[in-house]
Amino acid sequence: VEAAVSLAGALGAVVVFSAGNDKRNVYQISPQNMTDPLHKPVVVAAHDERRRPAEYPGNRGTNFGPTIDVMAAGGGQVNVGG
């Protein structure tokens, strides 16, 4: 997968991956742990309504770590759009 991410980046594509939901440091997970700024994916983690890392049932939660690029609304968010 890392080779595909690197190739896509070299061709000008923006590759985006979820950080995952296992309460793990993404630095231990590939390709989320890629650090080359020209070839790394954008890694998105989730936050709750208080902008804290999202928690999920079963002792699960958004992954965390130094290669997270963006936090987006996730766990516990209310859908008001129906």
Side-chain angles (χ1 to χ4, degrees):
V1 174
E2 288 187 15
V5 170
S6 291
L7 177 60
L11 295 173
V14 175
V15 179
V16 180
F17 275 91
S18 165
N21 296 314
D22 298 312
K23 281 188 164 178
R24 291 177 55 197
N25 188 327
V26 293
Y27 203 70
Q28 303 167 347
I29 304 167
S30 176
Q32 291 88 333
N33 63 356
M34 294 175 70
T35 57
D36 180 344
L38 297 177
H39 301 120
K40 79 176 282 308
V42 174
V43 181
V44 182
H47 67 74
D48 65 15
E49 62 276 356
R50 294 186 181 140
R51 296 194 176 146
R52 297 177 303 195
E55 296 282 332
Y56 303 106
N59 196 33
R60 296 185 68 202
T62 194
N63 289 344
F64 57 89
T67 58
I68 300 289
D69 297 297
V70 178
M71 296 286 288
Q77 299 298 307
V78 176
N79 181 352
V80 295

